[in-house]
Amino acid sequence: MLFQTVLISAWALQSLAYPAYEAAFWGGEPITFPPPLANAGSILIPDAAHPYIPPGPLDQRGPCPGLNTMANHGYLPRNGIVSSADIINGAQEAFNVDYNFSVALASFALLSRGNVLLDLVSLGLESPLVPPLPGNLDGIPGGLGKHGRFEGDVSMTRQDYALGDNIHFQPDMYDNLLTYVANYSDGNIVTEAVFEQYRYARFEDSYLRNPNLTFHSGRHGFGYGEAGFTLNFFPNAKEGNLTVPVMNSFFRNETFPEGWYRRATPFTFAGVITAAGQIEAPHPVPAGAKNSSGVYVTDPTSASGICGLYANLASQNVPAILLNTTGTLLQNVNTLIGGVYKIFEPFGCAMVLPTGPAGV
Ligand code: HEM
Ligand SMILES: *[C@@H]1O[C@H](CO)[C@@H](O)[C@H](O)[C@H]1NC(C)=O
Ligand SMILES: *[C@@H]1O[C@H](CO)[C@@H](O)[C@H](O)[C@H]1NC(C)=O
Ligand SMILES: *[C@@H]1O[C@H](CO)[C@@H](O)[C@H](O)[C@H]1NC(C)=O
Ligand SMILES: *[C@@H]1O[C@H](CO)[C@@H](O)[C@H](O)[C@H]1NC(C)=O
Ligand SMILES: *[C@@H]1O[C@H](CO)[C@@H](O)[C@H](O)[C@H]1NC(C)=O
Ligand SMILES: *[C@@H]1O[C@H](CO)[C@@H](O)[C@H](O)[C@H]1NC(C)=O
Ligand SMILES: *[C@@H]1O[C@H](CO)[C@@H](O)[C@H](O)[C@H]1NC(C)=O
């Protein structure tokens, strides 16, 4: 409580635009990643210690149905303000996300949208519990819902930022997805064929309607990856296939279905790359963005595969100013850069450093 009060008043100072508030005031501990969880098999989720409690009005929820569900069951802090260790432990426990993949996702979340000194990020938008870095180096941390670095266009159940609500579940979009389950499967089992069509249709829709469409390599990879997440994390391991009632529970209610067992083996980054590639294969879409004349310009890195994706994410979508720091802050920046690299090193990518703009 005291800790929270201190943060709130410190943030209030910042919002009054005091230029200099000092690192010493903020504390901040060196980040160390927790070790992998021992059990990586299929278990009943939630256990008795993790009941569903709907979020309160001040609890942060955002564009990720996986993280929202975890927070609604206390696999992440229920207020939606989470540390890298919270994400790493929670993702392994609730969904059996591979350890290195959990570390990399948590690291990118912190670097792009959190406060890396305090090791906190909001699942939704900005919060007084996640104040700016000393010197206001990157503005007020936006949270995972802030458009641009992590949240992006061509989502499956959220609108493009320029077109509407990019954060909350959109029932009409989801109902449209269900028509694909009817037309490309049996109306009940959600198959890869469904996402092969739906994901392409989502791109076509954005391409036609969004004059600000931004779909660079990182977001392009994540966009297809998130369809792979849906197919590989949401099924009840007791059923094998993903069914519509189970998918409804995650997307509509953000709760684990009754009697749900998590997958039996960790799902790795290599697994999601394979899944994303299969989903895109029938209708390839180049990574890129519209320029101010409204022309969709393909990224030079569009064809450069996983290392191009990595360069876009870890270089352009993380502010360069983070490297111009000292002490615990710089130490944490370097730890998290290493955390992201964990999943790209096995693909032979050279490490990249942040080069992105601040305050965006
Ligand atoms: C472990 C760390 C994770 C982080 C930091 C994270 C973060 C995010 C963010 C920021 C988005 C928004 C992207 C966008 O559509 O613009 C997103 C989307 C999504 N996430 Fe997560 N996520 C994580 C884990 C998971 C897990 C474990 C699952 C599934 C169990 C999951 C399922 C999804 C899905 C399906 C979407 C797409 C929603 C849509 O397109 O409408 N995520 N995630
Ligand atoms: C869309 O792009 C235009 C021109 O670059 C810009 O002025 C406008 O703010 C953008 N709108 C949104 C919602 O991003
Ligand atoms: C599904 O099939 C119906 C009937 O043929 C058609 O009207 C509708 O446009 C199709 N929807 C999709 C998403 O393919
Ligand atoms: C999963 O769905 C596929 C395709 O609809 C079907 O062939 C298979 O038998 C199903 N498996 C289970 C365990 O229901
Ligand atoms: C979602 O929650 C509502 C209200 O509690 C409930 O009636 C419905 O059965 C739930 N649906 C799913 C798919 O969990
Ligand atoms: C947008 O891209 C097209 C095609 O490359 C080019 O002809 C046009 O000049 C570009 N517009 C701007 C404002 O850069
Ligand atoms: C980092 O510091 C160097 C040396 O002072 C400076 O040249 C550079 O512009 C700074 N980078 C950023 C992103 O501010
Ligand atoms: C995880 O990453 C480390 C390097 O950080 C590597 O040695 C290890 O083999 C990776 N594990 C898996 C399962 O990919």
Side-chain angles (χ1 to χ4, degrees), residues 44-172:
L44 180 68
I45 300 288
D47 60 18
H50 296 91
Y52 175 75
I53 303 175
L58 297 179
D59 295 335
Q60 293 283 343
R61 297 292 182 270
C64 176
L67 297 177
N68 292 348
T69 300
M70 286 158 61
N72 289 344
H73 285 266
Y75 286 105
L76 288 174
R78 292 181 187 269
N79 68 356
I81 306 299
V82 309
S83 71
S84 55
D86 290 331
I87 298 175
I88 293 164
N89 290 328
Q92 288 176 88
E93 186 174 7
F95 285 109
N96 214 351
V97 181
D98 164 72
Y99 174 73
N100 281 354
F101 195 14
S102 303
V103 168
L105 285 169
S107 297
F108 181 60
L110 264 290
L111 283 169
S112 61
R113 286 302 180 208
N115 177 315
V116 298
L117 179 59
L118 297 178
D119 188 16
L120 290 173
V121 62
S122 162
L123 301 188
L125 292 174
E126 61 187 59
S127 161
L129 300 178
V130 189
L133 290 170
N136 200 19
L137 292 183
D138 187 31
I140 298 172
L144 293 177
K146 182 168 180 177
H147 179 68
R149 292 178 183 162
F150 201 145
E151 193 288 322
D153 289 337
V154 203
S155 303
M156 297 180 290
T157 65
R158 274 71 173 163
Q159 298 186 58
D160 287 3
Y161 177 72
L163 299 179
D165 184 342
N166 62 319
I167 294 172
H168 300 95
F169 175 72
Q170 301 294 301
D172 57 332

Side-chain angles (χ1 to χ4, degrees), residues 192-211:
E192 187 186 290
V194 169
F195 286 110
E196 288 169 3
Q197 301 302 325
Y198 181 67
R199 240 197 157 319
Y200 183 58
R202 288 294 305 112
F203 177 79
E204 282 187 307
D205 179 59
S206 293
Y207 182 81
L208 289 174
R209 291 196 301 124
N210 184 356

Side-chain angles (χ1 to χ4, degrees), residues 51-345:
Y52 175 75
I53 303 175
L58 297 179
D59 295 335
Q60 293 283 343
R61 297 292 182 270
C64 176
L67 297 177
N68 292 348
T69 300
M70 286 158 61
N72 289 344
H73 285 266
Y75 286 105
L76 288 174
R78 292 181 187 269
N79 68 356
I81 306 299
V82 309
S83 71
S84 55
D86 290 331
I87 298 175
I88 293 164
N89 290 328
Q92 288 176 88
E93 186 174 7
F95 285 109
N96 214 351
V97 181
D98 164 72
Y99 174 73
N100 281 354
F101 195 14
S102 303
V103 168
L105 285 169
S107 297
F108 181 60
L110 264 290
L111 283 169
S112 61
R113 286 302 180 208
N115 177 315
V116 298
L117 179 59
L118 297 178
D119 188 16
L120 290 173
V121 62
S122 162
L123 301 188
L125 292 174
E126 61 187 59
S127 161
L129 300 178
V130 189
L133 290 170
N136 200 19
L137 292 183
D138 187 31
I140 298 172
L144 293 177
K146 182 168 180 177
H147 179 68
R149 292 178 183 162
F150 201 145
E151 193 288 322
D153 289 337
V154 203
S155 303
M156 297 180 290
T157 65
R158 274 71 173 163
Q159 298 186 58
D160 287 3
Y161 177 72
L163 299 179
D165 184 342
N166 62 319
I167 294 172
H168 300 95
F169 175 72
Q170 301 294 301
D172 57 332
M173 294 175 72
Y174 186 78
D175 289 345
N176 184 29
L177 167 59
L178 294 183
T179 69
Y180 285 74
V181 184
N183 285 20
Y184 296 100
S185 181
D186 62 1
N188 185 52
I189 294 178
V190 186
T191 57
E192 187 186 290
V194 169
F195 286 110
E196 288 169 3
Q197 301 302 325
Y198 181 67
R199 240 197 157 319
Y200 183 58
R202 288 294 305 112
F203 177 79
E204 282 187 307
D205 179 59
S206 293
Y207 182 81
L208 289 174
R209 291 196 301 124
N210 184 356
N212 294 42
L213 174 59
T214 303
F215 202 44
H216 291 303
S217 310
R219 173 61 201 146
H220 175 278
F222 274 40
Y224 285 91
E226 285 151 13
F229 274 30
T230 302
L231 286 170
N232 288 283
F233 284 127
F234 288 157
N236 184 339
K238 292 282 179 201
E239 295 174 344
N241 286 315
L242 177 62
T243 65
V244 166
V246 167
M247 187 167 77
N248 285 345
S249 181
F250 286 112
F251 276 104
R252 290 194 196 279
N253 287 18
E254 302 189 331
T255 181
F256 292 99
E258 278 300 304
W260 187 85
Y261 283 74
R262 74 179 190 198
R263 52 179 292 118
T265 54
F267 193 57
T268 62
F269 178 63
V272 83
I273 290 291
T274 301
Q278 287 168 355
I279 291 162
E280 188 184 0
H283 302 289
V285 164
K290 285 190 181 171
N291 68 14
S292 54
S293 323
V295 177
Y296 189 78
V297 180
T298 298
D299 284 353
T301 54
S302 187
S304 56
I306 293 167
C307 299
L309 185 163
Y310 169 57
N312 178 230
L313 276 184
S315 173
Q316 282 141 6
N317 287 1
V318 177
I321 193 78
L322 291 180
L323 297 174
N324 276 15
T325 56
T326 57
T328 305
L329 175 50
L330 180 60
Q331 192 180 334
N332 287 352
V333 168
N334 286 327
T335 299
L336 295 168
I337 289 172
V340 175
Y341 189 52
K342 260 176 174 290
I343 57 172
F344 294 101
E345 188 176 16

Side-chain angles (χ1 to χ4, degrees), residues 1-69:
M1 258 349 246
L2 179 63
F3 182 61
Q4 288 197 354
T5 310
V6 169
L7 287 182
I8 288 167
S9 48
W11 184 77
L13 280 181
Q14 157 60 19
S15 61
L16 290 173
Y18 277 93
Y21 50 99
E22 296 306 322
F25 182 75
W26 296 99
E29 298 292 327
I31 293 173
T32 52
F33 299 129
L37 299 189
N39 181 349
S42 185
I43 54 172
L44 180 68
I45 300 288
D47 60 18
H50 296 91
Y52 175 75
I53 303 175
L58 297 179
D59 295 335
Q60 293 283 343
R61 297 292 182 270
C64 176
L67 297 177
N68 292 348
T69 300

